Amino acid sequence: MTIGGQIVSAKFADAILPHLDAAFRLARWLLRDPVAAEDVVQDALVRAMTYFDQFRGENPRAWLLQIVRNTAWTSRAGGKRLDQLDDDAHSTLASDAPDPEAALVQAEATQTLTDAIARLPTDLRECLVLREIEELPYRDIAIVVGVPIGTVMSRLFRARKLLLAGAEENSN
Amino acid sequence: MTDPCADWELLIQADCDGELDIVATARLARHVETCPACARLQSQLHGLSQRIRDLPRDAAPSRLAAGFRVAPPRRRFVPVFGSFAAGLALAASLMLMVTTGADPSAELVAGHIRALQPGHLTDVVSTDQHTVKPWFDGRIDYAPDVRDFASAGFPLVGGRLDYMNGRPVAALVYRRAQHPINLFVWPASGDASPIAGTTKGYNFVRWKSAGMEYVAVSDVEIAELQAMARLMIAK
């Protein structure tokens, strides 16, 4: 499923294409599966092209991420249960740091944190990823997720408390 | 469990997320100084943010972008080598660009307006130039001249990183009465006397001195911004 040779306006390209990495990262964090994430981003881009006329030009990043988020949750992969998901979806490789032991420790810490985020309930995870990975302000997270800012704040806090509690358990 | 500091939790989080305004930030800072539990939460939240931000970032597979072909742009608004009239219009729009090749004023005014949104004015809140200046270390590759002009009626409030042409620039925040002034600073060669202008109802004054280019943006009178410029140039 590709958008082979899809011709888009320069306006669309300028507004939307700079945010492809963000779109893919969000989809991947939501679905925990790079292949499904790529499909979702492609679908989202087709939707974005279709509805680009309605885009008011204010915040293309939040606008695209909103479409990606909605596409992800209505996709087949988005409907999957957590326990059906591929555990390796977010596996990471040790970096090529000069000290292999330190690199291994680092890779393990990375993996532990990645897994902990992946296990967060979806409504908390999407707020956390939008804030910490995509660095969106509360206002934009509220737009993308479609909830009031107060809800964004309480979900973020619950997500972080869960991660902090998990980290404490690990270190004990 | 009743936690006397439960009310502070979301404020501490909002502070970590850069969403608090100056007044709330200062109030929170005073509380955290006297409350070990809140101080602990604050440092935990900062640490967690840092760890998540240090995670490897995926890039989109290149075939996603490769699927697009961009239609050739329609006729430019102002042709680069256009008619005489277009040349005149271009010259008029370049009036303010005597000091540099590109006019960043519109972008800086946009930065000023953005900074007025709650919680976006300052990343480092301090009236102490010795706190604000080192804050920029490692965030940008130059050291802006940070000075407090409280005695002249331009107290330093803090600083933050802003972006211009995709590059980080230092933004220092001052106040004149109750009006915030954003002072954007980046390296430039030569000296240039202050030039004033207005964009979208905001006044700005820009000048170059001592290896830096400065643009002060605010809703205060141009004359006041010029007074501030003179203070900074005079040292």
Side-chain angles (χ1 to χ4, degrees), chain B residues 180-208:
Chain B
I181 300 173
N182 272 288
L183 180 66
F184 300 91
V185 189
W186 64 93
S189 54
D191 288 301
S193 303
I195 301 169
T198 301
T199 300
K200 287 188 178 171
Y202 288 93
N203 297 323
F204 65 87
V205 168
R206 58 189 305 186
W207 71 94
K208 287 200 268 187

Side-chain angles (χ1 to χ4, degrees), chain A residues 6-29:
Chain A
Q6 189 73 247
I7 295 179
V8 296
S9 69
K11 213 174 145 193
F12 180 87
D14 286 350
I16 300 301
L17 298 188
H19 307 295
L20 277 190
D21 284 350
F24 177 73
R25 274 197 305 265
L26 176 64
R28 188 169 173 183
W29 276 107

Side-chain angles (χ1 to χ4, degrees), chain B residues 148-150 152-156 174-176 181 224-225 227-228 231:
Chain B
D148 184 20
F149 296 104
F154 295 97
L156 176 68
Y174 290 86
R175 269 188 196 277
R176 178 65 163 177
I181 300 173
E224 307 216 46
L225 292 180
M228 184 176 162
L231 277 172

Side-chain angles (χ1 to χ4, degrees), chain A residues 61 128-137 140-141, chain B residues 53 57:
Chain A
R61 187 178 162 87
L128 185 89
V129 167
L130 288 167
R131 175 62 217 142
E132 297 283 32
I133 309 279
E134 304 303 346
E135 300 185 21
L136 257 49
D140 291 354
I141 301 173
Chain B
R53 277 157 202 225
R57 301 281 168 117

Side-chain angles (χ1 to χ4, degrees), chain B residues 111-123:
Chain B
H112 175 75
I113 296 170
R114 205 165 49 239
L116 298 179
Q117 308 304 312
H120 288 105
L121 194 55
T122 48
D123 290 331

Side-chain angles (χ1 to χ4, degrees), chain A residues 7-145:
Chain A
I7 295 179
V8 296
S9 69
K11 213 174 145 193
F12 180 87
D14 286 350
I16 300 301
L17 298 188
H19 307 295
L20 277 190
D21 284 350
F24 177 73
R25 274 197 305 265
L26 176 64
R28 188 169 173 183
W29 276 107
L30 295 185
L31 302 175
R32 294 163 295 193
D33 175 352
V35 177
E38 195 176 333
D39 284 350
V40 158
V41 173
Q42 282 183 343
D43 283 356
L45 287 170
V46 171
R47 287 192 201 183
M49 273 187 282
T50 310
Y51 298 113
F52 192 58
D53 290 349
Q54 295 165 26
F55 170 56
R56 282 171 302 151
E58 277 168 8
N59 193 338
R61 187 178 162 87
W63 186 73
L64 178 63
L65 292 182
Q66 184 182 14
I67 296 175
V68 169
R69 182 254 180 201
N70 292 339
T71 308
W73 290 147
T74 51
S75 74
R76 220 152 38 92
K80 272 207 251 174
R81 292 280 313 273
L82 176 61
D83 48 23
Q84 296 170 305
L85 281 159
D86 180 0
D87 272 343
D88 295 333
H90 252 292
S91 65
T92 37
L93 295 170
S95 69
D96 52 359
D99 179 352
E101 200 169 324
L104 190 64
V105 170
Q106 175 64 39
E108 273 174 11
T110 297
Q111 190 62 54
T112 305
L113 182 56
T114 305
D115 291 347
I117 296 171
R119 277 195 303 272
L120 288 173
T122 52
D123 57 338
L124 307 188
R125 189 167 76 240
E126 61 182 1
C127 286
L128 185 89
V129 167
L130 288 167
R131 175 62 217 142
E132 297 283 32
I133 309 279
E134 304 303 346
E135 300 185 21
L136 257 49
Y138 291 172
R139 192 189 50 213
D140 291 354
I141 301 173
I143 292 170
V144 173
V145 179

Side-chain angles (χ1 to χ4, degrees), chain A residues 3 5-8 10 13 20-21 24-25 28 38 42 110 113 131-133 137-138 153 156-157 160 168, chain B residues 9 13-14 17 19 40 44 49 51-53 55-61 63-65 67-71:
Chain A
I3 326 175
Q6 189 73 247
I7 295 179
V8 296
L20 277 190
D21 284 350
F24 177 73
R25 274 197 305 265
R28 188 169 173 183
E38 195 176 333
Q42 282 183 343
T110 297
L113 182 56
R131 175 62 217 142
E132 297 283 32
I133 309 279
Y138 291 172
M153 292 169 72
L156 269 177
F157 194 71
R160 284 163 163 161
E168 236 163 55
Chain B
E9 287 178 341
Q13 171 177 259
D17 290 331
E19 299 267 354
R40 179 161 178 269
Q44 283 178 327
S49 276
R51 288 202 302 284
I52 298 177
R53 277 157 202 225
L55 289 176
R57 301 281 168 117
D58 299 321
R63 55 185 173 274
L64 269 177
F68 291 96
R69 281 198 297 129
V70 178

Side-chain angles (χ1 to χ4, degrees), chain B residues 63-128:
Chain B
R63 55 185 173 274
L64 269 177
F68 291 96
R69 281 198 297 129
V70 178
R74 271 175 261 168
R75 227 166 72 80
R76 289 284 168 106
F77 207 54
V78 179
V80 178
F81 300 106
S83 64
F84 180 65
L88 272 185
L90 190 62
S93 71
L94 285 174
M95 291 268 280
L96 289 164
M97 299 192 199
V98 284
T99 54
T100 60
D103 178 15
S105 304
E107 204 176 338
L108 294 175
V109 168
H112 175 75
I113 296 170
R114 205 165 49 239
L116 298 179
Q117 308 304 312
H120 288 105
L121 194 55
T122 48
D123 290 331
V124 53
V125 180
S126 175
T127 57
D128 180 359

